[in-house]
Amino acid sequence: MGSIAVLREEMLVMEKYWERGIEFRGECVLDEEEFGEWGAACMSAMVMMGLDGMQFVIKSRLEALATPH
């Protein structure tokens, strides 16, 4: 399940990116609009990563079912 491990790492990187946006907002580096765009980009990426993970799990399960035991 190497792909799930890689996906997990990417999700953690995205979480840190989101947290950095919160820090920037608190330091007034990002205004409200910029922070909204930052958040939208982060959330879109997280949704796409989640969908990728679900597809991987479904594919793995289907392959396991198709393999004769």
Side-chain angles (χ1 to χ4, degrees), residues 45-62:
M46 295 285 276
V47 167
M48 294 305 296
M49 288 178 188
L51 291 173
D52 187 45
M54 288 190 312
Q55 287 176 337
F56 177 81
V57 169
I58 291 167
K59 181 180 175 187
S60 297
R61 301 283 167 111
L62 290 175

Side-chain angles (χ1 to χ4, degrees), residues 3-15 49:
S3 292
I4 290 295
V6 169
L7 180 62
R8 201 172 286 138
E9 287 296 317
E10 290 173 351
M11 296 282 283
L12 290 172
V13 168
M14 186 54 62
E15 180 183 6
M49 288 178 188

Side-chain angles (χ1 to χ4, degrees), residues 14 17-19 21-22 30-49:
M14 186 54 62
Y17 187 76
W18 168 248
E19 290 171 354
I22 293 170
L30 296 174
D31 63 22
E32 190 172 322
E33 183 179 343
E34 292 168 325
F35 181 66
E37 291 171 3
W38 185 288
C42 289
M43 294 305 140
S44 295
M46 295 285 276
V47 167
M48 294 305 296
M49 288 178 188

